Amino acid sequence: RHRTIGAVLESTWALLTPAEQRALRALAVLPGNFQVETAEAVAGEGGPRLATLTTLAGLVNKGLLRREAGGYSAHAFVRQDALERLRATGEERDAYGRLLAYVRGLVERAEAHLRTAEETAWLDRLEAEHGSIGAALEWALESGEAEGAARLCAVLRWLWYIRGYIGEGRRWMERAILLARGRVEPGLLARLLQGAGV
């Protein structure tokens, strides 16, 4: 069965344009449902954005992405195949770096609206990116990006507390604290410790 699926994916891959291939490889770092803005940020490579609506529509039409309420997703087999292709091209670090940069920017924009009248809308926005945020955090922690992981957790502690992700949030915070000790400024570490304490 896996060989058959692999053969189908291989033949489908050959039908993709180079832009669609690059975009799909990069999109493999996004687990679950993802938003158009996230796709554009992750699949862009400094030049023209590759994951435009046209590119995404092409991938949907070829059965490699699914259009879902509020975003897109890829079947686990498609994502795994694309992730292996991403690793083979040596583009994995760049793709995860773009994901981390996008998520960090989103979280920092959200921070200004927390504890204001716009808080609910921004918490909804962060929650919609739950899978992408988790992927960015995991990569930051695994690759030793102490500052990036700490800054994300310092803001997300409020989301995790308000929306009931208590156990998950604490696990992220504990990992970020271990990585951050002696590597980030004391005020940031204090925010992590306070969040884990709560």
Side-chain angles (χ1 to χ4, degrees), residues 114-115 119 123 154-163:
L114 300 181
R115 298 183 182 91
E119 177 179 83
L123 288 175
V155 177
L156 292 170
R157 64 194 171 134
W158 189 244
L159 169 73
W160 294 326
Y161 178 72
I162 294 293
R163 294 293 169 97

Side-chain angles (χ1 to χ4, degrees), residues 13 19 29 36 39 48 57 71 81 83 106 110 114 130-132 142 157 162 176 197:
W13 189 266
V29 304
V36 173
D81 180 70
L83 198 52
L106 175 65
L114 300 181
H130 188 259
S132 298
E142 289 294 322
R157 64 194 171 134
I162 294 293

Side-chain angles (χ1 to χ4, degrees), residues 22 45 49 51 88 145 198:
R22 288 191 303 270
E45 296 180 2
R49 293 283 171 93
E145 296 277 348
V198 170

Side-chain angles (χ1 to χ4, degrees), residues 5-186:
I5 291 170
V8 169
L9 288 173
E10 191 63 44
S11 61
T12 305
W13 189 266
L15 301 175
L16 300 180
T17 67
E20 288 172 337
Q21 290 178 355
R22 288 191 303 270
L24 188 59
R25 281 196 307 267
L27 294 173
V29 304
L30 302 174
N33 193 303
F34 56 86
Q35 312 297 305
V36 173
E37 295 84 4
T38 315
E40 288 178 339
V42 169
E45 296 180 2
R49 293 283 171 93
L50 298 174
T52 61
L53 287 173
T54 302
T55 305
L56 292 171
L59 293 171
V60 169
N61 290 338
K62 290 168 182 163
L64 295 167
L65 290 183
R66 290 186 296 252
R67 184 80 175 96
E68 299 188 355
Y72 296 83
S73 69
H75 188 280
F77 283 117
V78 173
R79 181 172 178 259
Q80 185 58 42
D81 180 70
L83 198 52
E84 288 170 8
R85 292 174 190 275
L86 181 70
R87 289 175 180 146
T89 61
E91 299 166 351
E92 184 180 19
R93 184 171 184 82
D94 289 341
Y96 273 108
R98 290 191 299 272
L99 174 60
L100 179 59
Y102 170 75
V103 167
R104 187 169 165 179
L106 175 65
V107 167
E108 286 172 353
R109 285 197 314 278
E111 184 175 23
H113 301 279
L114 300 181
R115 298 183 182 91
T116 73
E118 298 175 337
E119 177 179 83
T120 300
W122 277 93
L123 288 175
D124 289 345
R125 176 111 185 256
L126 291 176
E127 200 164 16
E129 295 281 10
H130 188 259
S132 298
I133 288 171
L137 253 178
E138 184 64 39
W139 184 81
L141 290 165
E142 289 294 322
S143 59
E145 296 277 348
E147 180 83 12
R151 292 209 174 278
L152 287 180
C153 288
V155 177
L156 292 170
R157 64 194 171 134
W158 189 244
L159 169 73
W160 294 326
Y161 178 72
I162 294 293
R163 294 293 169 97
Y165 297 100
I166 305 295
E168 177 185 349
R170 181 161 174 94
R171 286 189 294 276
W172 285 124
M173 297 283 257
E174 288 172 346
R175 290 177 66 193
I177 289 165
L178 287 173
L179 183 61
R181 287 188 190 276
R183 299 178 67 186
V184 303
E185 53 96 9

